[in-house]
Structures are given as structure tokens and as C-alpha cells.
Amino acid sequence: MKSQSAPAKYLIFATVIVALVLPLSLATDMAAQDYASFGMRLTARLSAAFFLLAYVARPLLELTGVGRQLVRHRRYLGLAAALAHTVHAWFIYDYFRIIGESIEPLVLIGGGGAFIALWLMALTSNNASQRWLGANWQRLHRFGMHYLWLIFFQTLLGIALVNAAYWPAVAAFGLAALLRLRAWQARRKRASAAA
Ligand code: HEM
């Protein structure tokens, strides 16, 4: 991957840090449980937004010619999503500590697996890891992207079924997957035409 322009990557990190710190520092008069719940929603939403931008960057460019800057800064969009989601993990810990309940095993396995995938992707989002892992880097990042998409999608769908305000988010994730599918089909078509 080409080296990134410094101002853009700092802008991405500054955006995610301000978007995390500002609402959290303004909402301190909430009860502890409400605050943890607010923190979980805020961090998940921020992470979803940055993830979605990284997820659609390449197919969008391939299909429409738009989004070159998104592709250039995909690594930092992914790292911003990982940062926001790491704070999600902290609020999950805090929330379940406050309510005194444990996380359901299925959620722990599915969601915990997504955290492991996300952190592995973040740790290997550098040129040295990319060179060292070779084809396995592609495998890890492709699998991780789809796995994270699945967890976001099923979480948002589950909430949308009881709260209609979440349908636009479900639609955004659905459209993003269709975009990737369409770009994959176009790539296959080009490859078979060239063979
Ligand atoms: C052990 C793993 C996880 C647990 C226990 C967990 C728990 C929660 C809880 C309790 C909420 C609801 C907060 C509230 O409304 O009060 C929430 C929200 C959410 N989580 Fe997580 N989560 C986990 C991992 C993940 C992962 C890996 C993703 C995505 C890849 C994710 C995405 C979301 C989303 C999209 C929301 C909805 C935010 C909103 O309401 O706008 N979570 N999570």
C-alpha cells in the first residue's frame, strides 16, 4: 500500500478522537448504567461509520471512478474503526460490571471473535506485516472485513426489528455488501474476458 499523506491520516484520527471524547465528556451527569449504554452506542456507531467507508472504498472506485481518496486512506479508516470499537469493548465491560450480569455465550463467541479479527487486522495494518504475511494478509483482511460486516449487520437488523429508526443503517450495510458483490462480479467478468 502506498504511503499515506500525513494531514489526512491525522485528520481521520482527530475526527474519531473528538467524536468520542466530546460527547462522552459532555454526558457525565448520567447514571453509570445509562452512561455505559450511551458509550456503547456512540462507539459502535462511530466504528460502523468508519468501517463502512473502508468497506466500500475499493468497490466504489472500481464501479464508479469515485472515491480515490477513500481508497488511499482505507488503512486509517480501518484503524479509526478499530479505535472506536476498542472503546466499545471497554464500555461493554463497564456495562456488564454495573448490571452484574454476564454476557450470553453465543454473543461472547460471535462478538468476541469479531474483536479478535478487528485487533488482528489493526495490528497488521502496516507495510511490514503486509510484506511478512504475503497472501495470508489478504486472507486475514478479507475474512475479517466480511466477518465484521456480518456482526454489524445482524446486530443492526436485530435492533431494527424492534426500533424502526435503525432500518436506514441496515439498508446502508446491505447496499455496501451489494456494491462489493457487484464489483467482484465485474472483476471476474474482466478476468474471464482477458483469459
Ligand atoms: C462481546 C461482544 C459484544 C457485546 C457483549 C456487545 C454488547 C452491546 C450492547 C449491550 C449494545 C447495546 C447498547 C445499548 O443500546 O444500551 C451494543 C450495541 C451495538 N454493538 Fe456491540 N457488543 C459486542 C460486540 C460488538 C461487535 C463486535 C460489533 C460490530 C462488529 C458490535 C456492534 C454494535 C452495534 C452496531 C450496536 C448498536 C449501536 C446503536 O444502538 O446505535 N458490537 N453492543
Side-chain angles (χ1 to χ4, degrees):
M1 194 179 276
K2 282 185 191 147
S3 66
Q4 315 289 316
S5 61
K9 79 180 180 194
Y10 293 130
L11 190 66
I12 292 170
F13 282 119
T15 307
V16 72
I17 289 168
V18 170
L20 281 172
V21 171
L22 203 64
L24 289 173
S25 55
L26 291 175
T28 45
D29 58 344
M30 285 179 177
Q33 184 179 331
D34 292 341
Y35 187 72
S37 173
F38 170 69
M40 277 194 292
R41 287 197 305 274
L42 173 73
T43 51
R45 285 175 196 184
L46 272 174
S47 173
F50 282 102
F51 171 83
L52 211 52
L53 289 175
Y55 188 76
V56 300
R58 190 165 63 112
L60 191 68
L61 181 64
E62 284 177 4
L63 293 174
T64 67
V66 170
R68 198 164 299 281
Q69 290 305 316
L70 280 185
V71 172
R72 252 171 73 74
H73 300 104
R74 215 169 20 159
R75 177 183 286 178
Y76 292 93
L77 293 169
L79 286 171
L83 177 62
H85 227 81
T86 302
V87 188
H88 189 65
W90 162 257
F91 279 114
I92 290 169
Y93 163 76
D94 203 33
Y95 179 80
F96 283 91
R97 184 187 58 79
I98 292 164
I99 65 170
E101 285 178 19
S102 45
I103 301 168
E104 282 175 34
L106 211 60
V107 175
L108 196 60
I109 294 166
F115 275 115
I116 291 170
L118 184 72
W119 287 328
L120 283 178
M121 288 164 80
L123 283 174
T124 56
S125 283
N126 55 73
N127 295 342
S129 302
Q130 207 166 348
R131 274 194 302 274
W132 182 60
L133 290 170
N136 286 328
W137 189 93
Q138 283 274 356
R139 290 190 191 105
L140 168 69
H141 282 253
R142 196 170 299 148
F143 168 81
M145 277 291 222
H146 293 305
Y147 185 51
L148 285 163
W149 177 89
L150 185 69
I151 300 294
F152 271 121
F153 187 74
Q154 65 92 29
T155 305
L156 291 166
L157 183 63
I159 306 176
L161 292 173
V162 291
N163 180 352
Y166 280 77
W167 282 114
V170 174
F173 271 80
L175 282 173
L178 285 179
L179 202 68
R180 280 188 78 106
L181 179 66
R182 188 72 199 86
W184 177 75
Q185 286 171 333
R187 236 176 286 133
R188 270 174 62 111
K189 209 168 157 186
R190 278 198 302 276
S192 61

